[in-house]
């Protein structure tokens, strides 16, 4: 057998070997990559032996297929690297990685440069090679392989931050090393020296250009997915095409780093994918990519390791000594960067401090793997490289990888356990006993009830119940929750849990198409901001994130400016539709969170913490209700239509779940279930149309009821309605600052504004015209005008208002009458009364002023 069938058979056999290494690695407590490398070396060595031996020639064909496998070093990089890099980006929590960006960049770029230089300079006086060749070797062995390290960390439960740092480093580490490798390989093959200045500029331009290209390509792919109309097969197919397009177009057409472009596209896809793809499709995509990377990572290790016997041909004792020097230099360089430079990032507050135990593990865990072997193979296959140089690179890189895997890889688990990095943090350990104690109590009650329902005898059920009682007693005895966590820590933990639950509810609503993609993306970002705020600054950070998400977005403000400046309604109409939907969904979620807090958090964290968190949630809900009522007042029909659509989508979801339950209970056939499912999907698709409304609906009736415009003819009111623009402002937002010139007059359609003048708070309520009095008197604003509640304002320019007053003097008379009434009724008008019932804005201001309330 020869040709393509032999190659395909060889790949199938290798997949069998790969599948066998996984359970063996778990049994031997070794990284899978170590066993895969050993398997590849044995296969390669056995093939070479069979081809050379005179004992038999029956296996010569299979041996030649193995030794002459049609995969070059470039093929390794083009076939396998896009999959490995893209899935690595998909698996990373981009939101959490953002806080570690400085640390990751230091490890991925600075550490690669330092390692390349250190290894090259250490070998140059001893290896008998030029400095460029030694630096080329340094770049080849500077790449780290996270798969073995990450698998160990996940298996023994190492700290998630440590895993995140290692995976983040490896994501960009390959890009930096391959960029340096490309420059040095060209210099070695051409014999020209490297110009450091030009090379450094090209390196920086390549990284920046690749980052931008990958981000744009990733976003464009998501837009294409959104236009596919919810076809999972097409959406997943685009995700497979994306890394190869980024790698090849970026590297060959745009001459930027293809690896960085692929990583950037993957990070963008990971960040925005959950709000673009339906949750069930996203889960399938993640599982598919995990399987792809398992095949790709395993095959690249086996295939590259099969070349080890060939690369080590001619190994001498001096080569072994040089390998030892290179390994020692690589460890020293990595330790210098991690122990010498990481503290500087912490001192300058560019990144959180990294504990010493993490640093030791990161130094020892810098394993080298298949990418190093693939780069070495690319050098040995390059016809422009002298055979002597190719042999040197092949032997040194292969020896470096073997020592890394067989020494560091086999001892890393022991090191992590010895440094106690496999233990849960104190908070999680305390929470573990608390949660287990509560959960086991519920399990015991359910087991007792089920035993009675199924008629189990007391002798059969007693041992099970007694075992549960002993476990409950043990957890209660070990429970240090009350002393391990203070109130502030518990509140922070509760708010993080609440924000994570909000994210889960949003994803569930998105799954049933209860949220549009644009709103889903905005709300997920807001939930992530609340998680980060609570984690970093406790209650203060959570409240600040809530305040930010309730304010009109930058896009909404831009649409208001376009509407006011150019009288274009469409941008503001679509922005208001999105804001309507967002506020309604947030209100529904806030109600669900309150129930979740009482059902799950209160039994776990205690009633005192539940009261504090309830107060935060209630005030947030008050803000949402205030904002919704402000908009409902003028667009009641649209809000009702939106609520009806959401409820219909929920009912369709419940209908689908009922059909699934009937199928699970074998009450309906598969054919009937598919027919019912198609019927539900058809009715769901009919709800996908976008609701629209008239932006200026009812404006004439609203302005006709305003005291300032009483007596103005209907025809003039109609013309005025066409001139008015609409503006929404949030609590604490400033409308005018003290001393500002009046450029616009604001008619308050709904809401409350406040100004502080001469020691008194003056309130402007529905029907007032803010700025009219000052404009007519040709005065500047006497005080800063700030919103107390969410406000709906109708806006007219200063010149247009002056023309209105000139054409209709009754407007000036109305303003004078309002001023006289205000002077004659100072106590009720000049705000000396208690605040309004909804004090959400005051809560937000006081929370922002008082970090101690966290």
């Amino acid at each position: 057998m020869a040709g393509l069938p032999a190659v395909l058979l060889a790949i199938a056999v290798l997949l069998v070997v790969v599948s066998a290494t996984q359970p063996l690695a778990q049994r031997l407590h070794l990284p899978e990559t170590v066993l895969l490398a050993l398997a590849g070396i044995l296969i390669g060595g056995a093939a070479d032996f069979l081809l050379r031996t005179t004992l038999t020639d029956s296996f010569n064909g299979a041996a030649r297929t193995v030794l002459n496998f049609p995969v070059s070093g470039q093929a390794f990089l083009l076939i396998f690297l896009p999959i490995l890099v893209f899935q690595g980006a998909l698996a990373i929590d981009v939101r959490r990685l953002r806080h570690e960006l400085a640390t990751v960049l230091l490890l991925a770029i600075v550490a690669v440069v330092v390692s390349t230089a250190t290894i090259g300079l250490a070998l140059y006086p001893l290896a008998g090679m030029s400095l460029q060749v030694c630096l080329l070797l340094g770049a080849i062995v500077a790449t780290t392989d996270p798969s073995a390290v990450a698998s160990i960390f996940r298996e023994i439960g190492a700290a998630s931050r440590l895993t995140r740092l290692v995976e983040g480093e490896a994501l960009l580490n390959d890009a930096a090393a391959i960029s340096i490798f490309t420059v040095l390989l060209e210099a070695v093959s051409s014999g020209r020296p490297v110009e450091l200045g030009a090379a450094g500029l090209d390196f920086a331009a390549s990284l920046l250009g690749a980052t931008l290209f990958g981000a744009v390509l990733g976003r464009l792919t998501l837009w294409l997915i959104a236009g596919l109309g919810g076809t999972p097969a097409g959406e997943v197919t685009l995700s497979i095409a994306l890394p190869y397009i980024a790698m090849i177009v970026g590297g060959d057409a745009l001459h930027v780093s293809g690896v960085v472009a692929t990583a950037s596209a993957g990070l963008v896809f990971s960040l925005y994918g959950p709000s673009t793809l339906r949750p069930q499709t996203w889960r399938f995509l993640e599982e598919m990519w995990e399987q792809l990377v398992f095949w790709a990572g395993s095959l690249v290790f086996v295939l590259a390791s099969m070349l080890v016997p060939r690369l080590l041909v001619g190994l001498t004792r001096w080569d072994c000594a040089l390998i030892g020097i290179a390994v020692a230099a690589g460890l020293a360089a990595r330790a210098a960067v991690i122990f010498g430079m990481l503290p500087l990032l912490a001192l300058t507050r560019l990144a959180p401090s990294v504990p010493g135990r993490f640093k030791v593990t990161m130094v020892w865990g810098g394993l080298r793997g298949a990418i190093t072997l693939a780069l070495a193979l690319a050098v040995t296959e390059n016809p422009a490289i002298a055979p002597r140089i190719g042999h040197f690179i092949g032997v040194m890189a292969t020896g470096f990888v073997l020592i890394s895997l067989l020494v560091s890889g086999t001892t890393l688990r022991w090191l992590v356990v010895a440094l106690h990095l496999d233990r849960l943090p104190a908070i999680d350990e305390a929470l573990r006993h608390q949660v287990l104690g509560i959960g086991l109590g519920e399990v015991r009650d359910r087991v007792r009830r089920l035993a009675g329902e199924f008629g189990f005898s007391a002798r059969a059920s007693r041992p099970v119940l007694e075992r549960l009682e002993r476990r409950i007693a043990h957890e209660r005895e070990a429970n240090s929750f009350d002393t391990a966590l203070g109130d502030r820590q518990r509140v922070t933990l509760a708010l993080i849990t609440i924000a994570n639950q909000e994210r889960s509810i949003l994803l569930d609503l998105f799954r049933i198409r209860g949220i549009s993609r644009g709103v889903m993306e905005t709300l997920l970002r807001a939930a992530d901001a609340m998680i980060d705020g609570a984690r970093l600054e406790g209650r203060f950070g959570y409240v600040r994130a809530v305040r930010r998400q309730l304010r009109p977005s930058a896009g909404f403000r831009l649409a208001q400016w376009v509407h006011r400046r150019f009288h274009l309604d469409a941008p503001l109409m679509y922005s208001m539709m999105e804001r309507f939907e967002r506020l309604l969904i947030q209100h529904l979620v806030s109600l669900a969170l309150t129930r979740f807090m009482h059902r799950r958090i209160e039994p776990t964290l205690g009633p005192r913490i539940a009261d504090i968190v309830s107060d935060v949630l209630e005030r947030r809900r008050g803000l949402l209700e205030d904002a919704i009522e402000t908009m409902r007042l003028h667009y009641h029909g649209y809000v009702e239509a939106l609520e009806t659509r959401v409820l219909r989508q929920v009912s369709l979801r419940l209908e689908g779940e009922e059909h699934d339950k009937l199928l699970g209970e074998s009450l309906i056939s598969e054919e009937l279930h598919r027919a019912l499912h198609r019927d539900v999907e058809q009715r769901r698709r009919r709800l996908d149309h976008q609701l629209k409304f008239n932006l200026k609906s009812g404006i004439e009736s609203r302005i006709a009821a305003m005291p300032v415009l009483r007596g103005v003819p209907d025809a003039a009111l109609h013309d005025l309605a066409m001139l008015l623009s609409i503006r929404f402002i949030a609590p604490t937002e400033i409308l005018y600052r003290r001393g500002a010139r009046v450029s616009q007059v604001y008619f308050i359609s709904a809401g409350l504004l406040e100004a502080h003048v001469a020691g008194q708070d003056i309130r402007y309520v529905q029907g007032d015209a803010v700025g009219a009095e000052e404009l007519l008197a040709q005065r500047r604003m006497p005080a800063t005008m700030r919103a107390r509640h969410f406000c709906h304002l109708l806006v007219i320019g200063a010149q247009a208002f002056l023309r209105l007053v000139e054409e209709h003097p009754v407007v000036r008379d109305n303003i004078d009458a309002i001023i006289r009434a205000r002077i004659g009724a100072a106590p009720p008008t000049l705000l000396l009364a208690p605040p309004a019932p909804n004090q959400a804005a005051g809560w937000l201001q006081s929370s922002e002023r008082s970090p101690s309330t966290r």
Side-chain angles (χ1 to χ4, degrees), residues 277 287 313 367 435 480 485 593 616 662 720 774 792 802 833:
L277 285 77
E287 292 169 358
V313 171
L367 305 185
V435 170
S480 59
L485 298 181
L593 290 177
V616 174
L662 292 173
L720 177 61
E774 290 75 14
H792 179 274
L802 290 175

Side-chain angles (χ1 to χ4, degrees), residues 130-137 139 178-196 199 379 382 384-386 389:
S130 67
L131 180 59
Q132 289 182 341
V133 172
C134 294
L135 291 174
L136 177 63
L137 174 65
I178 291 174
S179 298
I180 298 173
F181 165 82
T182 304
V183 173
L184 291 171
L185 181 62
E186 182 180 355
V188 171
S189 59
S190 64
R192 291 194 300 268
V194 177
E195 296 181 7
L196 292 180
V379 174
N382 193 324
I385 299 295
I389 295 175

Side-chain angles (χ1 to χ4, degrees), residues 384-459:
I385 299 295
R388 177 169 166 267
I389 295 175
H391 172 76
F392 170 76
I393 294 291
V395 168
M396 295 294 295
T398 305
F400 200 110
V401 170
L402 289 177
I403 291 179
S404 170
L405 288 175
L406 299 179
V407 177
S408 298
T410 56
T411 57
L412 184 60
R413 177 192 299 271
W414 171 85
L415 179 64
V416 172
V417 173
L419 294 175
H420 304 303
L421 293 175
D422 58 330
R423 297 181 179 177
L424 289 172
I427 292 179
D428 288 341
E429 188 65 35
L431 187 61
R432 175 181 180 274
H433 295 298
Q434 177 82 347
V435 170
L436 273 178
I438 296 172
L440 287 174
E442 295 180 359
V443 171
R444 175 200 57 199
D445 296 339
R446 291 183 63 185
V447 168
R448 182 182 291 117
R449 186 168 59 253
L450 287 174
E453 292 175 358
F454 291 135
F456 290 124
S457 66
R459 294 183 61 184

Side-chain angles (χ1 to χ4, degrees), residues 298-318:
S298 301
L299 283 176
V300 75
F301 250 103
V302 175
L303 290 172
S305 301
M306 284 163 48
L307 304 172
V308 168
R310 188 175 78 187
L311 292 173
L312 288 179
V313 171
L315 179 69
T316 64
R317 292 183 179 180
W318 181 238

Side-chain angles (χ1 to χ4, degrees), residues 14-29:
L14 291 180
L15 288 175
V16 173
V17 172
V18 165
S19 64
T21 58
Q22 203 171 30
L24 186 60
Q26 293 175 354
R27 181 170 297 181
L28 297 177
H29 299 294

Side-chain angles (χ1 to χ4, degrees), residues 118-335:
T118 304
I119 294 171
L121 292 173
L123 292 176
Y124 174 56
L126 305 170
M129 294 287 172
S130 67
L131 180 59
Q132 289 182 341
V133 172
C134 294
L135 291 174
L136 177 63
L137 174 65
I140 290 173
V141 299
T143 61
T144 59
D145 176 37
S147 55
V149 181
S151 65
I152 292 174
F153 288 170
R154 282 192 292 267
E155 186 177 342
I156 64 178
S160 60
R161 186 188 176 200
L162 182 58
T163 306
R164 191 163 57 249
L165 288 174
V166 171
E167 291 179 338
E169 174 200 359
L171 187 65
L172 300 177
N173 173 286
D174 291 342
I178 291 174
S179 298
I180 298 173
F181 165 82
T182 304
V183 173
L184 291 171
L185 181 62
E186 182 180 355
V188 171
S189 59
S190 64
R192 291 194 300 268
V194 177
E195 296 181 7
L196 292 180
L201 289 176
D202 289 343
F203 178 67
S206 174
L207 293 184
L208 292 175
T211 302
L212 180 61
F213 169 66
V216 171
L217 188 61
R219 204 69 168 120
L220 179 62
T221 303
L222 289 169
W223 285 336
L224 289 174
I225 287 175
L228 288 178
T231 54
E235 294 170 352
V236 173
T237 302
L238 280 178
S239 77
I240 295 176
L242 175 58
Y244 287 99
I245 295 173
M247 178 73 74
I248 297 171
V249 174
D252 293 348
L254 301 180
H255 304 292
V256 296
S257 172
V259 180
V260 172
T262 305
S264 177
L267 290 173
V268 168
F269 203 91
S270 173
L271 185 62
Y272 298 108
S275 61
T276 303
L277 285 77
R278 299 295 171 186
Q280 56 270 38
T281 305
W282 182 254
R283 283 195 299 271
F284 171 72
L285 182 142
E286 286 185 312
E287 292 169 358
M288 182 210 66
W289 272 100
E290 287 176 3
Q291 186 62 53
L292 282 178
V293 84
F294 171 72
W295 288 336
S298 301
L299 283 176
V300 75
F301 250 103
V302 175
L303 290 172
S305 301
M306 284 163 48
L307 304 172
V308 168
R310 188 175 78 187
L311 292 173
L312 288 179
V313 171
L315 179 69
T316 64
R317 292 183 179 180
W318 181 238
D319 290 333
C320 294
L322 291 178
I323 291 171
I325 293 172
V327 171
L331 278 175
R334 188 168 176 82

Side-chain angles (χ1 to χ4, degrees), residues 838-850:
N838 185 353
Q839 300 182 16
W843 163 67
L844 286 173
Q845 293 178 66
S846 63
S847 297
E848 188 173 8
R849 287 193 298 265
S850 307

